[in-house]
DNA sequence: CTTGACCCTGGAATCTATTCCAGACCTTAT
DNA sequence: ATAAGGTCTGGAATAGATTCCAGGGTCAAG
């Protein structure tokens, strides 16, 4: 059967397949508060209303844009209670956009950097005895790599290391 | 005093300041095997040779490029023992480059997407009563967002969820 | 001696989305 | 009934680099 409990409701696995995520992920969304807790049938199985599929889809979109499950939870909770967090949504989205822009610039710089490094290396390596050391990594030290660290959003600033209090 | 124990050696804090990382990070690098274990003075304080600064710099560069501490550890260990892992380095670097290229494309697509979404939203919001709901998030559902998920390297493919064995 | 500023250790926490786990129940077809 | 397959739960694991923590030495100046 495809529709679960003969009503128009979906069971976890069905919604999962339908929206391309795992049931674990669905439960996770629920835990995180981005997916409203569905009703339960007598056997305690979740009964998702068909709209849930759209909701999951929206969540995925928002995640792809760069929203965080927690941010989303905050927004959606307000909204599901009749509020209109659109201002907040816009605000966050704008920040995400800015972050993306910056990330693009940094990543491109990194790409160019790495690309040129590889050219160097190819050259060095071909003019080096097989088994010899071309000191590829060393050549990095001299380079003027932009401080762009790549890994996702990294808190900018100098290295902290909080003071001990004891 | 600037030079620690009057010899040309650096203490943890000094190397840290010098290379712009925290002492915790230095210890981490050591644990991970990318920073050779320095000698110790009588008081068991680390004594870093001045070259260590270059090494840390190199590590940072390599990280920025997309190397992983573990990858680096493998490479550097071979190297510090007289080996010449340049082939391997080149191999990894090339892979990183490809990954970067792809990430750039994806991120740009995402940026454009988000940018156009924001245009929509701005319009919608300005034609909505203050305090009213513009249903911004909903509008995501209809969009044809490229499947590009953003978060760093994500294992591609459909949702797994391994079979229970019990 | 006391203070403040470093240093040491090993292990745990952070962040985030997703997955994995074990033990146990429900349902349906054979 | 019995096995297969879906579902339930809460908590732990994953990845990666960095940070935080507590408890405890070391050292120079006041």
């Amino acid at each position: 059967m495809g529709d679960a409990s003969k009503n128009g409701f979906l069971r976890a696995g069905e919604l999962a397949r339908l929206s391309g995520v795992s049931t674990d992920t669905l439960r996770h969304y629920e835990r995180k508060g981005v997916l409203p807790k569905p009703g339960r049938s007598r056997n305690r199985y979740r009964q998702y209303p068909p709209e849930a599929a759209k909701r999951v889809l929206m969540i995925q979109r928002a995640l792809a844009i760069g929203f965080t499950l927690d941010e989303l939870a905050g927004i959606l909770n307000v909204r599901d209670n009749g509020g209109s967090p659109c201002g907040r949504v816009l605000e966050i989205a704008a920040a995400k956009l800015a972050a993306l822009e910056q990330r693009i610039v940094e990543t491109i710089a990194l790409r160019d950097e790495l690309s040129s490094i590889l050219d160097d290396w190819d050259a060095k390596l071909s003019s080096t005895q097989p088994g010899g050391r071309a000191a590829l990594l060393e050549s990095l030290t001299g380079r003027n790599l932009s401080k762009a660290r790549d890994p996702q959003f990294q808190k900018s600033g100098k290295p902290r290391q909080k003071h001990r209090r004891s």
Side-chain angles (χ1 to χ4, degrees), chain A:
Chain A
M1 55 228 60
D3 249 326
S5 45
K6 67 167 59 73
N7 351 13
F9 291 94
L10 300 166
R11 284 187 316 184
E14 296 172 334
L15 176 56
R17 259 185 304 277
L18 216 56
S19 43
V21 304
S22 70
T23 59
D24 268 335
T25 297
L26 290 181
R27 289 195 314 110
H28 183 55
Y29 285 175
E30 191 178 323
R31 285 193 268 209
K32 279 296 198 177
V34 291
L35 191 57
K37 303 194 179 188
R40 301 297 186 102
S41 55
R42 275 181 274 345
N43 43 9
R44 298 199 50 73
Y45 283 14
R46 276 171 253 267
Q47 289 184 304
Y48 292 100
E51 311 86 79
K54 286 204 201 81
R55 179 79 167 226
V56 174
L57 188 57
M58 179 183 81
I59 294 169
Q60 299 274 292
R61 302 298 202 216
L63 284 179
I65 282 178
F67 280 73
T68 253
L69 280 182
D70 287 330
E71 291 167 338
L72 233 35
I75 294 171
L76 293 178
N77 279 341
V78 173
R79 236 216 14 194
D80 289 348
N81 291 12
S84 46
C86 291
R88 177 117 195 77
V89 172
L90 215 50
E91 190 184 332
I92 296 183
K96 298 299 179 193
L97 180 57
L100 277 185
E101 302 276 19
Q102 190 184 337
R103 200 123 69 78
I104 289 172
V105 172
E106 288 175 353
T107 311
I108 287 180
L110 215 49
R111 190 265 318 267
D112 293 343
E113 202 61 59
L114 180 51
S115 176
S116 111
I117 289 175
L118 272 171
D119 286 346
D120 275 17
W121 286 2
D122 277 330
K124 278 191 182 136
L125 203 51
S126 64
S127 67
T128 300
Q129 314 312 319
R133 38 191 320 158
L136 301 187
L137 254 17
E138 278 73 5
S139 63
L140 287 180
T141 307
R143 286 194 164 258
N144 207 44
L145 217 40
S146 50
K147 62 289 165 202
R149 194 71 48 74
D150 172 19
Q152 195 73 314
F153 289 72
Q154 93 247 251
K155 37 273 162 125
S156 45
K158 330 244 87 170
R160 309 38 56 69
Q161 192 170 38
K162 270 189 187 147
H163 312 300
R164 301 299 141 58
R165 50 210 89 16
S166 75

